[in-house]
Amino acid sequence: MTGSTEDYAPHPHIGGRTAALRALAAWRAAAPGAPRVVVLTGDAGSGRSRLLTGFLMLCEPEYRKQLPLDAMDPSTVPPELPAPAVPSAEGLTAAQVLWLIADHFGLRATGVQGVYAELAALDEPVTVVVPDVDRAGPVRAADEPARLVREVLAPLAATGTVRLMAEVPRPLAAEVAEGLPPGTAQIIDLDAPEWADPDLLVRYAQAALDPEFGAPELPFTVDPAARLALGAAIGRRAGSPLVVQLAVHCALMAPEGFDPADERFLPTSVGTALDLHARRLGTDSQTLRLLLAPLALAEAEGIPVQLWSRLASAVAGHDMSPAIAGGMLLAGPFVQPVEVPAEAEEAASEGGGEAAGGGEEGAEGDSADGERTLLRLLHPALAEEIRAGLPNVAAAQTQIAMALLEAVPDQDWGKADPYVRDHIAGHTLEAGLLPQLLTDPGLFVHADPVPLRAAVEAVPLEQLGAPARTYLRTAPLLTRTQAPTLLRAALLETAFVEDGLPEYAEAIHGRLGLDLPWQTLWSLPVAGGVSAVTVGSLPGAEGAGATPVAVLVLPPGTPGARPVGAGTGGGESGTTVEGGESGTAVLVHHLVQPGLLDDADLDRIVRPSEEERAAAPLGLSRGGDYLRVWNRADQEVVAALISDTPFTAADLSPDGILLVATTRGAKALRIRAAGAGIAS
């Protein structure tokens, strides 16, 4: 630390870190000589998140009013300015973080480069603080922190109108500032001597042991002298704020037999905190680590409490339920329960079959007030320590993935626990088994598309089978629209038909038991796109019924297409097809089944009359990027279609067959009057 702090009160949330706070305040004030870019880093558990949170309190006007600013060191207090943009990266992709920044500043850009260009063109500098870079991404094994640094933070740092601060893991810290002119960036490593604050650890430990701040009343917490001595010993031995926290938790949660005078059981690292706590409770450290292994390998906010025993047993290779049944004193100091809203009603309303989490596995752990309990480790550094001690992380993830598959009732993803359904892809990705999982349309339909998309995108394209490639193509539409289960099913059903996988579309209709708003009858890819479409009918021979047809207008020279005006009988076929003007070509296709009608006489095709269209039960509306089919009787929309490629034309037959053209080709959907949906 630099400078005297004896006459000033420490920041009440941080308790120290004066040198670092001074540097952050100078950055915020744009003081002469201060860097434009600050990278806050350090080991996991070094307290960088706590420091940044405390600093942001000083930058947020409402929080600022609650702090004793007059008593604090003025050099640690930034000037009062409008709050900076603070897009937390936790759980988000690099693209999501960038668009949060764009939205905050009201940018109109529609592409990534446009965001940086608009920021660079601003008249005044803007301030951006990005915390939790180490926690970025919906799937851990996809390495989203590195992508965020390279694709967002480094370009922001290079943009002269952006004053950037980011909390970044040490291995990535230098990349943020790479290539910037000297003096532009500063890396603050909280473990480096000039930024470390050993006294902070002692104060933190003493406060954590104080009943005034929530500690239980124990002999070594109520006696001030004992408390201060123990806190000093913990802080002196601990290497980081996290180790202080773990040492205090272990002492307070299992105080029986704890001797505050015996420093042998005071940890110096995360690993020794685990080992010493297990030894003090008469258990081997390996048992504790195996108990915590599923939490160290968990995705998102943690694993459901009812899955803990199953997954721990899978990793250990033997039944761990007895250890878990009596193991909360053992595991408790390292575990954090999280209460989240149960998804049963939401899953039912989305047409996802039985309540999500159905079956015996899903029923446990859900409280009567609609919440469910997840378990996660207290800090990511604990996960790093436990993962580093596993003989083979991929093998452990394989065992977890197999156990999660076994937990799916009747192998019906609509009945699966939300964690199993939404995050099994993350486990199989790290196990190297994800491509084998991506063959079940039920998983594609029911899984949350954000983590599933992130996991699939992390697999090399050449390793993906055809169904997974269809999912990957459709996933941006799923995530952009935040489509619920029924709409995801509809999007995927038509995408599978488009990609020549009708068996997967049939599985969605038949096996999944979902009442989709349509059935995709056929899809015809056309390299140059389709510019216009018309539904019609081709009269049959005497006594035979008419054949419903679709007439597609294509660019001239399209293989197999006939130039307009070349219909049989020498008639003027351009009057048959809207948009089929001279210089174009047409194909005639069955309307309700796959197959071209190469010999169809264009002059004999009859379009529905205006009277027939007006009397039809369904009507069609078209916007710039959507189509809507609605019921004429009550004006209710029964199907709403969007596409990942632009619509170029559409027509609706009187009996409810929707013919759609895009820049990719054409397709026909039989609209069902009940329900609503989206297709691509």
Side-chain angles (χ1 to χ4, degrees), residues 229-275:
L230 177 58
I234 289 174
R236 185 173 60 251
R237 290 176 61 84
S240 69
L242 175 61
V243 177
V244 169
Q245 185 180 18
L246 296 178
V248 172
H249 278 205
C250 290
L252 298 183
M253 295 185 70
E256 293 78 9
F258 176 74
D259 182 358
D262 188 351
E263 293 192 9
R264 293 178 305 161
F265 286 99
L266 299 182
T268 58
S269 65
V270 172
T272 58
L274 291 163
D275 299 338

Short mmCIF file of all heavy atoms in Angstrom, two decimals, residues 229-275:
data_model
loop_
_atom_site.label_atom_id
_atom_site.label_comp_id
_atom_site.label_asym_id
_atom_site.label_seq_id
_atom_site.Cartn_x
_atom_site.Cartn_y
_atom_site.Cartn_z
N ALA A 229 -7.53 -12.61 18.23
CA ALA A 229 -6.34 -13.45 18.07
C ALA A 229 -6.55 -14.49 16.98
O ALA A 229 -5.66 -14.73 16.14
CB ALA A 229 -6.00 -14.14 19.40
N LEU A 230 -7.75 -15.11 16.96
CA LEU A 230 -8.04 -16.10 15.93
C LEU A 230 -8.09 -15.45 14.56
O LEU A 230 -7.55 -15.98 13.58
CB LEU A 230 -9.35 -16.82 16.24
CG LEU A 230 -9.82 -17.85 15.21
CD1 LEU A 230 -8.77 -18.94 14.99
CD2 LEU A 230 -11.16 -18.47 15.62
N GLY A 231 -8.73 -14.29 14.48
CA GLY A 231 -8.79 -13.59 13.20
C GLY A 231 -7.42 -13.22 12.69
O GLY A 231 -7.14 -13.33 11.49
N ALA A 232 -6.54 -12.80 13.60
CA ALA A 232 -5.19 -12.46 13.18
C ALA A 232 -4.44 -13.68 12.67
O ALA A 232 -3.71 -13.62 11.67
CB ALA A 232 -4.44 -11.82 14.34
N ALA A 233 -4.64 -14.82 13.34
CA ALA A 233 -3.96 -16.05 12.91
C ALA A 233 -4.48 -16.51 11.55
O ALA A 233 -3.70 -16.92 10.67
CB ALA A 233 -4.16 -17.14 13.97
N ILE A 234 -5.82 -16.46 11.37
CA ILE A 234 -6.39 -16.86 10.07
C ILE A 234 -5.88 -15.95 8.96
O ILE A 234 -5.44 -16.41 7.90
CB ILE A 234 -7.93 -16.83 10.15
CG1 ILE A 234 -8.45 -17.96 11.03
CG2 ILE A 234 -8.54 -16.95 8.74
CD1 ILE A 234 -9.96 -17.91 11.27
N GLY A 235 -5.94 -14.64 9.19
CA GLY A 235 -5.50 -13.70 8.17
C GLY A 235 -4.02 -13.81 7.86
O GLY A 235 -3.61 -13.62 6.71
N ARG A 236 -3.22 -14.11 8.88
CA ARG A 236 -1.78 -14.22 8.68
C ARG A 236 -1.43 -15.43 7.81
O ARG A 236 -0.50 -15.40 7.00
CB ARG A 236 -1.09 -14.32 10.04
CG ARG A 236 0.43 -14.31 9.97
CD ARG A 236 1.04 -14.23 11.36
NE ARG A 236 0.66 -15.34 12.22
CZ ARG A 236 -0.16 -15.27 13.25
NH1 ARG A 236 -0.70 -14.09 13.57
NH2 ARG A 236 -0.47 -16.33 13.98
N ARG A 237 -2.18 -16.54 7.98
CA ARG A 237 -1.87 -17.77 7.25
C ARG A 237 -2.55 -17.83 5.89
O ARG A 237 -2.05 -18.46 4.96
CB ARG A 237 -2.29 -18.99 8.09
CG ARG A 237 -1.43 -19.21 9.32
CD ARG A 237 -1.94 -20.37 10.15
NE ARG A 237 -1.94 -21.63 9.41
CZ ARG A 237 -0.88 -22.43 9.28
NH1 ARG A 237 0.28 -22.07 9.81
NH2 ARG A 237 -0.97 -23.57 8.63
N ALA A 238 -3.71 -17.20 5.78
CA ALA A 238 -4.47 -17.31 4.54
C ALA A 238 -3.78 -16.57 3.40
O ALA A 238 -3.19 -15.51 3.59
CB ALA A 238 -5.88 -16.77 4.73
N GLY A 239 -3.88 -17.12 2.23
CA GLY A 239 -3.26 -16.48 1.08
C GLY A 239 -4.20 -15.56 0.31
O GLY A 239 -3.75 -14.87 -0.60
N SER A 240 -5.50 -15.57 0.65
CA SER A 240 -6.45 -14.78 -0.12
C SER A 240 -7.72 -14.60 0.70
O SER A 240 -7.96 -15.32 1.68
CB SER A 240 -6.80 -15.49 -1.43
OG SER A 240 -7.57 -16.65 -1.17
N PRO A 241 -8.57 -13.63 0.32
CA PRO A 241 -9.85 -13.47 1.00
C PRO A 241 -10.70 -14.75 0.98
O PRO A 241 -11.41 -15.04 1.94
CB PRO A 241 -10.53 -12.33 0.24
CG PRO A 241 -9.40 -11.53 -0.29
CD PRO A 241 -8.35 -12.53 -0.66
N LEU A 242 -10.62 -15.50 -0.11
CA LEU A 242 -11.41 -16.73 -0.17
C LEU A 242 -10.95 -17.73 0.89
O LEU A 242 -11.78 -18.37 1.54
CB LEU A 242 -11.32 -17.36 -1.56
CG LEU A 242 -12.01 -18.73 -1.70
CD1 LEU A 242 -13.50 -18.61 -1.42
CD2 LEU A 242 -11.77 -19.31 -3.09
N VAL A 243 -9.65 -17.87 1.08
CA VAL A 243 -9.16 -18.80 2.09
C VAL A 243 -9.58 -18.35 3.48
O VAL A 243 -9.92 -19.17 4.34
CB VAL A 243 -7.63 -18.95 1.97
CG1 VAL A 243 -7.10 -19.87 3.06
CG2 VAL A 243 -7.25 -19.50 0.60
N VAL A 244 -9.59 -17.04 3.72
CA VAL A 244 -10.11 -16.52 4.99
C VAL A 244 -11.57 -16.95 5.16
O VAL A 244 -11.97 -17.45 6.22
CB VAL A 244 -10.00 -14.98 5.03
CG1 VAL A 244 -10.79 -14.43 6.23
CG2 VAL A 244 -8.56 -14.55 5.11
N GLN A 245 -12.35 -16.78 4.12
CA GLN A 245 -13.77 -17.13 4.19
C GLN A 245 -13.96 -18.61 4.47
O GLN A 245 -14.79 -19.00 5.31
CB GLN A 245 -14.46 -16.74 2.87
CG GLN A 245 -15.96 -16.96 2.86
CD GLN A 245 -16.57 -16.56 1.53
OE1 GLN A 245 -15.88 -16.44 0.52
NE2 GLN A 245 -17.88 -16.37 1.51
N LEU A 246 -13.19 -19.45 3.81
CA LEU A 246 -13.31 -20.89 4.03
C LEU A 246 -12.87 -21.28 5.43
O LEU A 246 -13.51 -22.12 6.09
CB LEU A 246 -12.48 -21.65 2.99
CG LEU A 246 -12.91 -21.49 1.53
CD1 LEU A 246 -11.97 -22.25 0.61
CD2 LEU A 246 -14.35 -21.96 1.33
N ALA A 247 -11.80 -20.67 5.92
CA ALA A 247 -11.33 -20.98 7.27
C ALA A 247 -12.39 -20.63 8.31
O ALA A 247 -12.65 -21.41 9.24
CB ALA A 247 -10.03 -20.22 7.56
N VAL A 248 -13.00 -19.46 8.16
CA VAL A 248 -14.03 -19.05 9.10
C VAL A 248 -15.25 -19.96 9.00
O VAL A 248 -15.82 -20.38 10.01
CB VAL A 248 -14.41 -17.57 8.86
CG1 VAL A 248 -15.63 -17.18 9.69
CG2 VAL A 248 -13.24 -16.66 9.17
N HIS A 249 -15.68 -20.29 7.79
CA HIS A 249 -16.82 -21.18 7.61
C HIS A 249 -16.58 -22.53 8.28
O HIS A 249 -17.47 -23.08 8.94
CB HIS A 249 -17.10 -21.39 6.12
CG HIS A 249 -17.89 -20.30 5.50
ND1 HIS A 249 -18.66 -20.47 4.38
CD2 HIS A 249 -18.04 -19.00 5.84
CE1 HIS A 249 -19.25 -19.33 4.05
NE2 HIS A 249 -18.88 -18.42 4.93
N CYS A 250 -15.40 -23.08 8.07
CA CYS A 250 -15.11 -24.40 8.66
C CYS A 250 -15.17 -24.34 10.18
O CYS A 250 -15.69 -25.26 10.83
CB CYS A 250 -13.72 -24.87 8.21
SG CYS A 250 -13.63 -25.30 6.45
N ALA A 251 -14.65 -23.27 10.77
CA ALA A 251 -14.66 -23.15 12.22
C ALA A 251 -16.07 -22.93 12.76
O ALA A 251 -16.45 -23.51 13.78
CB ALA A 251 -13.76 -22.00 12.65
N LEU A 252 -16.87 -22.13 12.08
CA LEU A 252 -18.19 -21.79 12.59
C LEU A 252 -19.23 -22.87 12.33
O LEU A 252 -20.14 -23.07 13.14
CB LEU A 252 -18.67 -20.47 11.96
CG LEU A 252 -17.83 -19.22 12.25
CD1 LEU A 252 -18.48 -17.99 11.63
CD2 LEU A 252 -17.62 -19.03 13.75
N MET A 253 -19.12 -23.60 11.23
CA MET A 253 -20.12 -24.61 10.90
C MET A 253 -19.86 -25.94 11.60
O MET A 253 -20.78 -26.74 11.75
CB MET A 253 -20.19 -24.81 9.38
CG MET A 253 -20.68 -23.58 8.64
SD MET A 253 -20.90 -23.85 6.85
CE MET A 253 -22.33 -24.92 6.86
N ALA A 254 -18.64 -26.17 11.99
CA ALA A 254 -18.31 -27.41 12.72
C ALA A 254 -17.38 -27.05 13.88
O ALA A 254 -16.19 -27.39 13.87
CB ALA A 254 -17.66 -28.42 11.78
N PRO A 255 -17.91 -26.35 14.91
CA PRO A 255 -17.03 -25.86 15.98
C PRO A 255 -16.62 -26.93 16.99
O PRO A 255 -15.67 -26.71 17.75
CB PRO A 255 -17.89 -24.78 16.66
CG PRO A 255 -19.30 -25.22 16.43
CD PRO A 255 -19.30 -25.89 15.08
N GLU A 256 -17.32 -28.07 17.01
CA GLU A 256 -16.97 -29.10 17.98
C GLU A 256 -15.53 -29.56 17.77
O GLU A 256 -15.16 -30.00 16.68
CB GLU A 256 -17.93 -30.29 17.88
CG GLU A 256 -19.36 -30.00 18.30
CD GLU A 256 -20.14 -29.24 17.23
OE1 GLU A 256 -19.61 -29.11 16.10
OE2 GLU A 256 -21.25 -28.78 17.52
N GLY A 257 -14.76 -29.48 18.81
CA GLY A 257 -13.38 -29.91 18.72
C GLY A 257 -12.44 -28.91 18.08
O GLY A 257 -11.25 -29.19 17.95
N PHE A 258 -12.96 -27.75 17.68
CA PHE A 258 -12.08 -26.75 17.08
C PHE A 258 -11.30 -26.03 18.16
O PHE A 258 -11.88 -25.49 19.12
CB PHE A 258 -12.90 -25.74 16.26
CG PHE A 258 -12.07 -24.62 15.67
CD1 PHE A 258 -11.24 -24.86 14.60
CD2 PHE A 258 -12.10 -23.35 16.23
CE1 PHE A 258 -10.47 -23.84 14.06
CE2 PHE A 258 -11.34 -22.32 15.70
CZ PHE A 258 -10.52 -22.58 14.61
N ASP A 259 -10.00 -26.01 18.06
CA ASP A 259 -9.13 -25.34 19.02
C ASP A 259 -8.55 -24.09 18.36
O ASP A 259 -7.69 -24.19 17.48
CB ASP A 259 -8.00 -26.28 19.45
CG ASP A 259 -7.09 -25.65 20.50
OD1 ASP A 259 -7.32 -24.48 20.86
OD2 ASP A 259 -6.15 -26.34 20.93
N PRO A 260 -9.01 -22.90 18.77
CA PRO A 260 -8.54 -21.68 18.11
C PRO A 260 -7.05 -21.43 18.31
O PRO A 260 -6.46 -20.63 17.57
CB PRO A 260 -9.38 -20.57 18.76
CG PRO A 260 -9.87 -21.15 20.04
CD PRO A 260 -10.02 -22.61 19.81
N ALA A 261 -6.46 -22.11 19.26
CA ALA A 261 -5.03 -21.91 19.49
C ALA A 261 -4.17 -22.84 18.65
O ALA A 261 -2.95 -22.69 18.62
CB ALA A 261 -4.72 -22.12 20.98
N ASP A 262 -4.80 -23.81 17.97
CA ASP A 262 -4.05 -24.79 17.18
C ASP A 262 -4.04 -24.34 15.72
O ASP A 262 -5.00 -24.56 14.98
CB ASP A 262 -4.68 -26.17 17.32
CG ASP A 262 -3.84 -27.26 16.67
OD1 ASP A 262 -2.87 -26.92 15.98
OD2 ASP A 262 -4.18 -28.45 16.85
N GLU A 263 -2.97 -23.70 15.31
CA GLU A 263 -2.90 -23.16 13.96
C GLU A 263 -2.69 -24.23 12.89
O GLU A 263 -2.75 -23.93 11.70
CB GLU A 263 -1.78 -22.11 13.87
CG GLU A 263 -2.07 -20.86 14.68
CD GLU A 263 -1.11 -19.73 14.36
OE1 GLU A 263 -0.33 -19.86 13.38
OE2 GLU A 263 -1.14 -18.69 15.06
N ARG A 264 -2.50 -25.47 13.33
CA ARG A 264 -2.31 -26.53 12.33
C ARG A 264 -3.54 -26.71 11.46
O ARG A 264 -3.44 -27.22 10.34
CB ARG A 264 -1.97 -27.85 13.02
CG ARG A 264 -0.63 -27.89 13.73
CD ARG A 264 -0.46 -29.23 14.42
NE ARG A 264 -1.58 -29.52 15.31
CZ ARG A 264 -1.90 -30.74 15.75
NH1 ARG A 264 -1.20 -31.79 15.33
NH2 ARG A 264 -2.92 -30.91 16.57
N PHE A 265 -4.72 -26.34 11.98
CA PHE A 265 -5.95 -26.53 11.22
C PHE A 265 -6.43 -25.22 10.56
O PHE A 265 -7.58 -25.12 10.16
CB PHE A 265 -7.04 -27.11 12.12
CG PHE A 265 -6.83 -28.55 12.44
CD1 PHE A 265 -6.26 -28.93 13.64
CD2 PHE A 265 -7.17 -29.54 11.53
CE1 PHE A 265 -6.05 -30.27 13.94
CE2 PHE A 265 -6.96 -30.87 11.81
CZ PHE A 265 -6.40 -31.25 13.02
N LEU A 266 -5.54 -24.23 10.46
CA LEU A 266 -5.86 -23.00 9.75
C LEU A 266 -5.24 -23.06 8.37
O LEU A 266 -4.02 -23.20 8.24
CB LEU A 266 -5.34 -21.79 10.53
CG LEU A 266 -5.91 -21.61 11.94
CD1 LEU A 266 -5.34 -20.34 12.57
CD2 LEU A 266 -7.43 -21.58 11.93
N PRO A 267 -6.03 -22.97 7.31
CA PRO A 267 -5.53 -23.24 5.95
C PRO A 267 -4.69 -22.10 5.40
O PRO A 267 -4.83 -20.93 5.80
CB PRO A 267 -6.81 -23.42 5.14
CG PRO A 267 -7.82 -22.57 5.85
CD PRO A 267 -7.48 -22.70 7.31
N THR A 268 -3.87 -22.45 4.45
CA THR A 268 -3.06 -21.48 3.71
C THR A 268 -3.47 -21.39 2.25
O THR A 268 -2.96 -20.54 1.53
CB THR A 268 -1.58 -21.86 3.80
OG1 THR A 268 -1.40 -23.17 3.27
CG2 THR A 268 -1.09 -21.84 5.25
N SER A 269 -4.36 -22.29 1.82
CA SER A 269 -4.79 -22.30 0.41
C SER A 269 -6.16 -22.96 0.35
O SER A 269 -6.64 -23.53 1.34
CB SER A 269 -3.80 -23.08 -0.45
OG SER A 269 -3.79 -24.45 -0.07
N VAL A 270 -6.77 -22.90 -0.82
CA VAL A 270 -8.07 -23.56 -1.00
C VAL A 270 -7.93 -25.06 -0.78
O VAL A 270 -8.76 -25.69 -0.12
CB VAL A 270 -8.63 -23.25 -2.40
CG1 VAL A 270 -9.88 -24.08 -2.67
CG2 VAL A 270 -8.95 -21.77 -2.54
N GLY A 271 -6.89 -25.65 -1.33
CA GLY A 271 -6.69 -27.09 -1.18
C GLY A 271 -6.51 -27.51 0.26
O GLY A 271 -7.09 -28.50 0.71
N THR A 272 -5.70 -26.75 1.03
CA THR A 272 -5.51 -27.13 2.43
C THR A 272 -6.77 -26.89 3.25
O THR A 272 -7.00 -27.57 4.26
CB THR A 272 -4.33 -26.36 3.05
OG1 THR A 272 -4.57 -24.95 2.94
CG2 THR A 272 -3.03 -26.72 2.38
N ALA A 273 -7.62 -25.93 2.83
CA ALA A 273 -8.90 -25.74 3.53
C ALA A 273 -9.74 -27.01 3.43
O ALA A 273 -10.35 -27.45 4.41
CB ALA A 273 -9.64 -24.55 2.95
N LEU A 274 -9.77 -27.62 2.25
CA LEU A 274 -10.50 -28.88 2.08
C LEU A 274 -9.87 -29.99 2.91
O LEU A 274 -10.56 -30.72 3.64
CB LEU A 274 -10.52 -29.26 0.60
CG LEU A 274 -11.34 -28.39 -0.35
CD1 LEU A 274 -10.93 -28.63 -1.79
CD2 LEU A 274 -12.83 -28.67 -0.17
N ASP A 275 -8.57 -30.13 2.80
CA ASP A 275 -7.89 -31.24 3.45
C ASP A 275 -7.95 -31.14 4.97
O ASP A 275 -8.23 -32.14 5.65
CB ASP A 275 -6.43 -31.29 2.99
CG ASP A 275 -6.30 -31.49 1.48
OD1 ASP A 275 -7.27 -31.99 0.88
OD2 ASP A 275 -5.25 -31.14 0.92
#
